[in-house]
Amino acid sequence: MSKTRRFTIRSKIVLGYLVVVLLFGVVLVVLSAQINVLQKENDFISHHDLNVHNLTNAIEKNVLDMETGQRGFMLTGKESYLEPYDQGLSEWKSNYDQLYALISDNPDQQQSLQNVKSHITRWIDIAGKRSIQMKQEGDQDKAISSLVRTRIRCFRLPPLEISLIVCFTS
């Protein structure tokens, strides 16, 4: 008589529990790995977006500082008012370069940022440097009339078209 070993009910139940526990452990390991991957992606995106937002705000502040310093100098003639202009002028380029590198994975955003750069540099060349130079050379009437013309163009635009770029590049 050959003895074949048969599984008893008890061993089948224990084996079933072991399979369930083993599968549960595998599911937990896979789920944990997926959660870690998602958390890393979320951290990267949050950090990246925060840096983009901060640099965008810094560029806006730099441009506003330039405009404020230029306007203060134009109205008073005091060189001390050019400090925010000079500081904004030097900082915005660095902030622009950092932001451009940060959005290197998005060509559409880079194109938009290049458009913003062209408007800022146009304002610096047309309204910023030129009016400051006229004022420093003593041509106050011409410098102030240039400043006023720039501001009047802003007020004539419809509300939806009024923006920093439009107002200071025309």
Side-chain angles (χ1 to χ4, degrees):
M1 220 168 140
S2 78
K3 272 189 161 181
T4 58
R5 189 163 184 171
R6 292 185 145 187
F7 287 110
T8 63
I9 287 286
R10 176 182 232 183
S11 60
K12 289 179 182 177
I13 291 172
V14 169
L15 184 61
Y17 278 126
L18 287 176
V19 169
V20 169
V21 169
L22 183 64
L23 288 176
F24 184 68
V26 169
V27 167
L28 283 178
V29 169
V30 169
L31 188 60
S32 176
Q34 287 295 339
I35 288 173
N36 286 336
V37 167
L38 288 174
Q39 184 63 41
K40 286 179 184 177
E41 287 177 9
N42 188 29
D43 291 344
F44 171 77
I45 290 171
S46 297
H47 182 70
H48 181 268
D49 284 352
L50 186 61
N51 285 340
V52 168
H53 182 73
N54 288 341
L55 286 170
T56 303
N57 285 339
I59 292 172
E60 180 181 14
K61 182 189 178 303
N62 297 144
V63 171
L64 290 174
D65 286 347
M66 286 188 287
E67 192 271 336
T68 300
Q70 179 244 15
R71 185 179 58 232
F73 175 72
M74 297 299 295
L75 294 175
T76 65
K78 295 181 181 177
E79 295 283 330
S80 63
Y81 281 97
L82 289 178
E83 288 175 20
Y85 175 85
D86 294 333
Q87 184 177 359
L89 186 61
S90 66
E91 288 179 4
W92 91 268
K93 293 174 187 173
S94 169
N95 290 331
Y96 171 85
D97 291 338
Q98 289 176 32
L99 181 59
Y100 193 82
L102 195 59
I103 60 172
S104 62
D105 59 337
N106 192 330
D108 291 336
Q109 283 186 347
Q110 283 186 321
Q111 182 61 43
S112 295
L113 188 59
Q114 288 173 345
N115 291 339
V116 169
K117 179 184 180 181
S118 68
H119 289 297
I120 292 172
T121 55
R122 185 170 175 220
W123 179 85
I124 291 169
D125 294 339
I126 293 174
K129 287 180 182 177
R130 186 171 10 164
S131 61
I132 289 171
Q133 184 180 10
M134 283 188 264
K135 179 75 171 183
Q136 288 172 332
E137 291 171 353
D139 198 354
Q140 181 171 339
D141 294 337
K142 193 173 185 181
I144 290 180
S145 67
S146 171
L147 180 67
V148 169
R149 274 195 308 273
T150 302
R151 300 302 182 262
I152 288 174
R153 285 188 202 119
C154 263
F155 292 115
R156 288 184 181 165
L157 293 175
L160 292 176
E161 292 182 25
I162 295 178
S163 68
L164 179 67
I165 294 169
V166 172
C167 291
F168 299 118
T169 58
S170 38

